[in-house]
Amino acid sequence: MCPLYRFVIVKVRWRQQPATRKSVDMDSFAAASLRSEYKPDLEFRKMPFESYPRRDGNRDPKGSPSRAIAGLQGADILSLQAFRARRVVTPEGIRPAAILVEGERIKAVVSYDEVPARYQIHDFGDAAILPGLVDSHVHINDPGRSEWEGFETATRAAAAGGYTMLVDMPLNCLPATTTVAALQAKRQAAQGKCRVDWAAWGGVVDNNRDDIEPLAAAGVPGFKCFLVNPGIDGFTMVTEQQLRSALPHVARTGLPLLVHAELPAPIDRATEALANADWNRYSTYLASRPDDAELSAIRLMLSLCREFGFRLHIVHLSTSQALPDLRVARSEGLAVTVETCPHYLHLSAEAIRNGATLNRCAPPIRSRENNDKLWQALRDGTIDLVVTDHSPCPPAMKRLAEGNFQTAWGGIASLSVALPLMWTAASERGFTLLDLAQWMSAAPARLASCDSRKGRLVAGNDADLVVFDPDGEFTVTQEKLHYRHPVSPYLGETLRGVVKATYLRGSAVFTAGAFPGEPAGREYTANPIHRSTP
């Protein structure tokens, strides 16, 4: 380490209030050169001993290095905060509790009245405190298509929605994240723009099998592929033959492969049969993406999973017809996980008006009966997690004026309203906030390999919290969306549950409808060599 008489800590990222500063204890300071998670938070500067602060706030008249170190001991250099409420959602259940936070991490979760005297208390009363949400399926579109969204607006909407961690999909950005060079370009694009933490999936396309393991070494938590044309330049689908070439590389990384599971043949046949149909009718679009396209793709992937032994994750499950196959795969012990999205649970084909292209997504929103079966699969654990598949675009691409479902961009943006969307429907079905925390925090964190720091209110994890009023209601307006283009199929709906505040590593990133402080989000990667600064 550098001699203390030459370099000292003069700043540990103070926020608006001392109670919301980021800090670090002396053990962390002593190991700062080895433990990269603290490096972004420390500012070193040359300073003579006589100006170095002691514990009592006065200068040390003798300038002794040992006294300088002693002056850093204790709570004066720590940000000691207690977040408490009558409903705290812990892995063990919902109870009155206080979350003790030292610096950026949770120190302990204790009884409501057991807060030590030195802690500054944030009491949220009858509101609920949940772990910060983790969204492992987001299209940020940066770099290259930031006019669609971008890190700045996506993470702002995320903070407003209670999310503290996003994992960006490898397509819709330019270049697509299919090489290490493209990943580095994404890291550069994110610098100084993120209000929440983030990571990036790598892509598997038709010609990058030799990039898979280097991407894993560079810090991606897994990979994404399409079995059908994604409909955008820069990212190709993969055939079964191409998958067979890539899967040994995926399996060697031990990371999951996320699959858009629709096969083109059933879609092509259905679309050909609808050549003369009215594409302003939602029923036409729904018929063009039949259940069999999903079912056959999932059966193919389960077969390949048995053969190659990789971790398989099915993204945005829409059809309930695949649930029996997925249950059998689980009973065999296959390493398969499944997600669905709020729009597949909250919306239904019967309620979508003709020409209402804001509802177009792929796979499509299906019937109410289908939705009920997806809810049951969440209840019995066949579906593991709920993610947004936040997929924004400029409004003109949704063909709102012409109402044509065939030419409209497929994607629904919902980062800022996904939690109340889910709570509105889940609470009516007898689910609890504990279920939402599992589906929207813990399970996505496990998928993205950030569960040692994210997704649960436990000692050692980042102090990522969302303060949520489950009894409040609000009407969705453009002002509440916060992403770049405030269009949504949910505009005008009254939803149950209000996000009051979101804390990232102990600091408020959203509160009272505002976004305090400067962007402080970082890239999260299990490899600290690649961990970024804000």
Side-chain angles (χ1 to χ4, degrees):
M1 292 181 61
C2 296
L4 283 174
Y5 66 88
R6 297 191 64 193
F7 291 88
V8 294
I9 302 173
V10 295
K11 189 175 182 181
V12 193
R13 288 204 180 274
W14 288 77
R15 296 299 180 193
Q16 291 182 330
Q17 300 291 334
T20 59
R21 68 184 186 272
K22 298 179 182 178
S23 189
V24 61
D25 61 18
M26 270 308 298
D27 175 65
S28 304
F29 166 57
S33 61
L34 299 177
R35 293 165 61 183
S36 63
E37 63 265 34
Y38 294 119
K39 285 183 179 177
D41 297 312
L42 302 180
E43 180 181 321
F44 292 86
R45 188 178 302 164
K46 288 183 179 180
M47 183 181 291
F49 278 131
E50 59 268 23
S51 63
Y52 195 81
R54 294 178 60 196
R55 183 170 181 171
D56 60 8
N58 299 320
R59 295 178 179 179
D60 185 341
K62 296 185 178 180
S64 162
S66 61
R67 294 192 182 194
I69 293 174
L72 285 173
Q73 302 295 332
D76 291 349
I77 65 158
L78 292 174
S79 177
L80 301 178
Q81 302 181 83
F83 299 84
R84 71 181 185 182
R86 296 295 176 185
R87 290 179 281 190
V88 175
V89 183
T90 73
E92 295 76 31
I94 303 171
R95 60 186 175 92
I99 303 159
L100 305 184
V101 174
E102 290 190 2
E104 298 187 342
R105 303 279 192 95
I106 297 172
K107 176 70 173 179
V109 180
V110 300
S111 297
Y112 182 87
D113 296 320
E114 291 184 353
V115 178
R118 295 178 298 169
Y119 283 74
Q120 179 172 349
I121 296 176
H122 308 272
D123 195 321
F124 297 102
D126 290 331
I129 300 177
L130 286 77
L133 306 184
V134 177
D135 194 344
S136 55
H137 194 147
V138 182
H139 295 273
I140 297 176
N141 307 327
D142 209 357
R145 289 191 175 97
S146 58
E147 71 275 13
W148 291 25
E149 186 64 280
F151 278 102
E152 183 177 3
T153 53
T155 60
R156 182 179 66 193
Y163 287 95
T164 53
M165 174 79 184
L166 304 180
V167 192
D168 186 31
M169 284 294 168
L171 70 160
N172 297 9
C173 50
L174 289 172
T177 317
T178 56
T179 66
V180 173
L183 176 61
Q184 298 291 26
K186 184 173 292 291
R187 287 170 170 159
Q188 185 63 35
Q191 288 295 311
K193 297 178 182 176
C194 299
R195 292 195 172 272
V196 302
D197 289 346
W198 67 279
W201 299 112
V204 172
V205 290
D206 59 0
N207 61 354
N208 80 325
R209 68 177 187 178
D210 293 331
D211 294 294
I212 291 170
E213 289 168 81
L215 278 165
V220 302
F223 303 91
K224 167 74 177 292
C225 73
F226 272 69
L227 302 186
V228 68
N229 185 354
I232 194 165
D233 294 337
F235 200 92
T236 63
M237 62 171 282
V238 287
T239 64
E240 179 180 352
Q241 181 179 358
Q242 291 161 347
L243 267 178
R244 288 181 172 278
S245 178
L247 284 174
H249 298 273
V250 173
R252 276 196 292 271
T253 70
L255 300 176
L257 178 63
L258 287 66
V259 181
H260 181 121
E262 288 182 292
L263 288 183
I267 295 172
D268 292 344
R269 288 193 297 268
T271 302
E272 184 178 353
L274 294 165
N276 298 317
D278 182 357
W279 283 92
N280 286 74
R281 298 178 61 84
Y282 183 73
S283 59
T284 302
Y285 175 66
L286 178 59
S288 75
R289 312 287 294 217
D291 296 81
D292 186 53
E294 279 190 88
L295 181 59
S296 56
I298 288 171
R299 286 174 172 168
L300 169 63
M301 293 311 305
L302 291 175
S303 175
L304 292 172
C305 184
R306 292 183 182 99
E307 181 177 349
F308 288 93
F310 65 96
R311 292 171 58 194
L312 170 64
H313 180 74
I314 303 299
V315 302
H316 49 46
L317 181 70
S318 164
T319 179
S320 62
Q321 291 185 19
L323 294 172
D325 292 83
L326 291 166
R327 291 181 177 116
V328 169
R330 289 288 183 78
S331 69
E332 295 175 10
L334 284 187
V336 57
T337 50
V338 185
E339 72 184 39
T340 193
C341 306
H343 40 275
Y344 298 126
L345 300 163
H346 186 84
L347 302 173
S348 63
E350 294 89 339
I352 296 176
R353 294 178 292 104
N354 293 334
T357 53
L358 290 174
N359 296 274
R360 187 192 191 278
C361 58
I365 296 160
R366 303 190 188 276
S367 68
R368 289 193 186 97
E369 180 183 4
N370 183 84
N371 293 8
D372 289 340
K373 291 177 180 178
L374 295 181
W375 278 106
Q376 180 56 42
L378 279 167
R379 191 181 298 278
D380 66 27
T382 306
I383 297 176
D384 302 89
L385 55 144
V386 177
V387 294
T388 64
D389 189 10
H390 180 82
S391 186
C393 68
M397 294 180 65
K398 294 299 283 186
R399 303 291 191 265
L400 301 176
E402 60 191 78
N404 189 317
F405 282 99
Q406 187 173 35
T407 57
W409 174 258
I412 294 175
S414 64
L415 268 174
S416 49
V417 294
L419 179 55
L421 278 170
M422 284 298 298
W423 180 238
T424 299
S427 59
E428 293 175 351
R429 290 169 169 81
F431 293 102
T432 71
L433 293 174
L434 192 61
D435 296 308
L436 262 64
Q438 172 63 28
W439 302 332
M440 303 179 78
S441 295
R446 283 195 299 273
L447 175 68
S449 300
C450 61
D451 52 318
S452 63
R453 294 279 291 274
K454 306 289 186 183
R456 296 177 302 149
L457 298 179
V458 296
N461 271 20
D462 288 349
D464 295 350
L465 321 169
V466 54
V467 181
F468 185 64
D469 176 7
D471 304 313
E473 293 186 344
F474 74 102
T475 299
V476 180
T477 62
Q478 289 186 336
E479 294 73 26
K480 294 186 181 299
L481 296 179
H482 298 293
Y483 44 81
R484 185 172 297 279
H485 301 290
V487 295
S488 169
Y490 308 114
L491 286 172
E493 277 201 52
T494 298
L495 301 178
R496 186 180 182 205
V498 178
V499 174
K500 294 294 189 180
T502 305
Y503 290 83
L504 175 68
R505 290 180 265 109
S507 294
V509 292
F510 175 77
T511 182
F515 303 90
E518 296 300 316
R522 307 172 188 154
E523 181 188 11
Y524 180 90
T525 169
N527 186 345
I529 293 173
H530 303 288
R531 204 166 288 159
S532 71
T533 59

